[in-house]
Amino acid sequence: MSGMGNLSGKTVLVTGASSGIGRATALAFAREGARVAVCARREERLTGLEPELKKAGAAAVLLFTLDVSNRAAVEKALNGLPSEWNTIDVLVNNAGLSRGLTKVYEDDPQNWEEMIDTNVKGLLYVTRTVVPGMVERGRGHVINMGSTAGYMTYANGAVYCATKAAEKAISEGLKIDLMGTAVRVTSIDPGMVESEFSEVRFRGDKERAEKVYQNITPLQPEDIADAIVWAASRPAHVNIHTVVMTTIDQANSVVFHRHS
Ligand code: NAP
């Protein structure tokens, strides 16, 4: 979906842009002629993405490594952005992960720390640092990555689902907090998307990760990027609250159709 028009020259920050949905989103904004800032922990991935963003049409590109779960690092990186990058128009809070698929009473608490620190606290740290400038400038848009997991808990996924339920509550609350300002808040809530998500969840077990997407037509990262760019390119008075989207083979976070 290109040619939305009003994103040309806008400054966009995408967290977790080294892979999957974040990467596709950065490229989609580049195709709209936006100025695209990308961050994640893996620097070499971002370096590889840079020429692609330029080729896609980005008006300018900035990349920096950032662990969103490190509050001091978030504040330092985002408060220290070069002056031509510190007026962020669109923030895409995409960085996130799942760890393990296990019963709560048997799980390794380290998995919970990682998910809560990244998906909930990381999102809050970035939001807290970027949104005051948006309020001051009288424009801005926060787009958070939610999930169908935030609407209905699936087996062995209690804590991941809890982080996405938290994202939903934070998006709703932030929207209320921003009443009277021109800053918009959107939650993009996909079902199954084919990315490195499952490989990260199963800590590199590719075989197990592949099974997740077997005999099903999953959403692709580009499908989510489309929705994000669409929400960002509505007229300034239109706030898209949520976009809940799944593949045709998925009804909610527990009902799937596997092709035989
Ligand atoms: P992915 O391919 O694994 O990408 C996740 C991205 O997040 C990577 O770029 C990763 O980069 C980054 N990230 C993880 N922890 C980070 C941290 N502490 N600091 C900075 N960046 C971090 O998975 P994805 O599917 O694109 O996931 C993106 C978002 O979509 C997540 O919030 C996820 O919960 C959500 N989501 C995914 C699905 C799905 O089925 N795939 C469905 C609904 C929602 P580094 O490792 O380089 O830091």
Side-chain angles (χ1 to χ4, degrees), residues 57-146:
V61 177
L62 177 76
L63 54 94
F64 55 99
T65 55
L66 182 64
D67 178 349
V68 298
S69 71
N70 181 333
R71 173 147 67 110
V74 169
E75 288 168 357
K76 185 162 179 255
L78 299 181
N79 290 328
L81 287 174
S83 59
E84 66 277 20
W85 285 98
N86 68 9
T87 56
I88 293 163
D89 297 302
V90 181
L91 164 64
V92 184
N93 271 320
N94 164 77
L97 80 182
S98 65
R99 287 297 203 187
L101 196 61
T102 313
K103 294 180 196 294
V104 165
Y105 68 88
E106 293 172 350
D107 205 355
D108 179 349
Q110 177 60 30
N111 288 336
W112 311 337
E113 312 277 13
E114 281 185 57
M115 291 188 281
I116 293 168
D117 287 355
T118 309
N119 304 0
V120 183
K121 292 164 78 178
L123 180 145
L124 284 167
Y125 299 152
V126 175
T127 301
R128 178 66 183 88
T129 314
V130 171
V131 171
M134 291 179 167
V135 172
E136 216 174 274
R137 291 187 293 279
R139 64 167 200 274
H141 194 163
V142 180
I143 302 180
N144 294 329
M145 279 304 308

Side-chain angles (χ1 to χ4, degrees), residues 4 11 36-37 40 44 74 79 90 128 142 159 180 211 241:
M4 293 293 195
T11 301
V36 184
E44 70 286 358
V74 169
N79 290 328
V90 181
R128 178 66 183 88
V142 180
V159 177
K211 283 209 178 100
H241 289 245

Side-chain angles (χ1 to χ4, degrees), residues 6-255:
N6 60 1
L7 292 169
S8 176
K10 289 278 167 63
T11 301
V12 179
L13 171 63
V14 182
T15 69
S18 63
S19 170
I21 296 167
R23 187 177 186 283
T25 299
L27 283 164
F29 277 110
R31 285 193 286 274
E32 297 295 319
R35 309 173 72 252
V36 184
V38 291
C39 63
R41 292 166 303 179
R42 287 170 294 178
E43 186 171 20
E44 70 286 358
R45 290 288 196 98
L46 298 176
T47 314
L49 179 59
E50 187 176 24
E52 287 189 59
L53 289 169
K54 287 187 173 150
K55 205 174 133 209
V61 177
L62 177 76
L63 54 94
F64 55 99
T65 55
L66 182 64
D67 178 349
V68 298
S69 71
N70 181 333
R71 173 147 67 110
V74 169
E75 288 168 357
K76 185 162 179 255
L78 299 181
N79 290 328
L81 287 174
S83 59
E84 66 277 20
W85 285 98
N86 68 9
T87 56
I88 293 163
D89 297 302
V90 181
L91 164 64
V92 184
N93 271 320
N94 164 77
L97 80 182
S98 65
R99 287 297 203 187
L101 196 61
T102 313
K103 294 180 196 294
V104 165
Y105 68 88
E106 293 172 350
D107 205 355
D108 179 349
Q110 177 60 30
N111 288 336
W112 311 337
E113 312 277 13
E114 281 185 57
M115 291 188 281
I116 293 168
D117 287 355
T118 309
N119 304 0
V120 183
K121 292 164 78 178
L123 180 145
L124 284 167
Y125 299 152
V126 175
T127 301
R128 178 66 183 88
T129 314
V130 171
V131 171
M134 291 179 167
V135 172
E136 216 174 274
R137 291 187 293 279
R139 64 167 200 274
H141 194 163
V142 180
I143 302 180
N144 294 329
M145 279 304 308
S147 171
T148 51
Y151 293 76
M152 195 186 283
T153 304
Y154 53 76
N156 299 314
V159 177
Y160 177 73
C161 293
T163 67
K164 292 302 179 181
E167 178 281 337
K168 184 172 179 287
I170 291 164
S171 297
E172 288 169 8
L174 181 65
K175 176 65 198 155
I176 297 166
D177 296 343
L178 285 165
M179 283 286 95
T181 80
V183 182
R184 304 189 284 181
V185 182
T186 300
S187 181
I188 303 286
D189 305 334
M192 179 188 284
V193 182
E194 192 169 21
S195 66
E196 289 175 22
F197 182 82
S198 295
E199 215 181 305
V200 172
R201 161 166 264 171
F202 301 130
R203 295 191 186 270
D205 184 340
K206 284 198 178 163
E207 209 173 312
R208 193 167 175 206
E210 272 165 22
K211 283 209 178 100
V212 174
Y213 309 112
Q214 225 164 47
N215 298 327
I216 213 159
T217 309
L219 290 174
Q220 294 302 317
E222 291 71 22
D223 299 322
I224 316 309
D226 258 2
I228 291 172
V229 166
W230 173 76
S233 55
R234 295 310 83 213
H237 70 287
V238 178
N239 191 103
I240 304 298
H241 289 245
T242 56
V243 176
V244 185
M245 55 193 298
T246 64
T247 152
I248 192 73
D249 293 328
Q250 181 175 6
N252 55 41
S253 62
V254 299
V255 177

